[in-house]
């Protein structure tokens, strides 16, 4: 709104088991990840409103799929997709209204290059 600008940020750490399958030149894997999360929100307001900041702890749980190509080389390409759940969901209250949960089930996608070392090619 013209009177209040709100921002919400979240940071998390995820760890968990990863299962891998080899299919020809591809390495396919899936992971179940979980860990702590911290969410903080700030509201910058113009008079007569007052700004505020709030921090809350939570957890994040996600399922991840990764594909790597080629699988037996020191340098490889990878693509991944993840569906995390942030618990509890983020609710923002501005004035008298409360928003719907924000980012409860976002989708993440990634592409990149990787390197292997240690002679496991």
């Amino acid at each position: 709104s013209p009177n209040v600008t709100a921002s919400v940020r979240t940071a998390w750490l995820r760890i968990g088991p990863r299962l891998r399958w080899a299919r020809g030149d591809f390495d396919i894997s899936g992971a179940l990840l979980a860990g702590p999360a911290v969410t903080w929100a700030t509201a910058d307001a113009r008079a007569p409103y007052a700004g505020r900041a709030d921090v809350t702890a939570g957890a994040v749980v996600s399922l991840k799929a990764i594909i790597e190509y080629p699988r037996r080389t020191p340098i490889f390409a990878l693509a991944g997709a993840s569906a995390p759940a942030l618990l509890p969901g983020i609710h923002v209250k501005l004035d008298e209204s409360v928003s719907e949960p924000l980012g409860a089930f976002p989708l993440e996608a990634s592409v990149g290059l990787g390197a292997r070392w240690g002679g496991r090619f």
Side-chain angles (χ1 to χ4, degrees):
S1 79
N3 296 320
V4 180
T5 301
S7 63
V8 178
R9 291 180 172 81
T10 301
W12 61 84
L13 173 68
R14 298 179 291 197
I15 59 172
R18 179 177 170 187
L19 299 175
R20 300 174 74 160
W21 301 273
R23 298 285 185 257
D25 284 338
F26 291 91
D27 219 2
I28 302 165
S29 60
L32 174 62
L33 307 167
V38 175
T39 301
W40 63 98
T42 56
D44 296 317
R46 294 184 184 173
Y49 298 100
R52 184 171 176 199
D54 196 9
V55 176
T56 187
V60 65
V61 178
S62 63
L63 294 173
K64 185 165 183 109
I66 304 163
I67 188 165
E68 299 174 2
Y69 177 84
R71 102 180 154 91
R72 293 188 184 266
T73 60
I75 305 295
F76 60 94
L78 62 92
S82 178
L86 182 60
L87 307 169
I90 301 168
H91 296 272
V92 178
K93 182 177 182 180
L94 298 175
D95 298 329
E96 296 303 316
S97 64
V98 177
S99 74
E100 293 295 318
L102 299 174
F105 295 99
L107 296 177
E108 299 174 4
S110 60
V111 294
L113 292 175
R116 294 183 179 90
W117 63 91
R120 188 186 157 265
F121 303 116

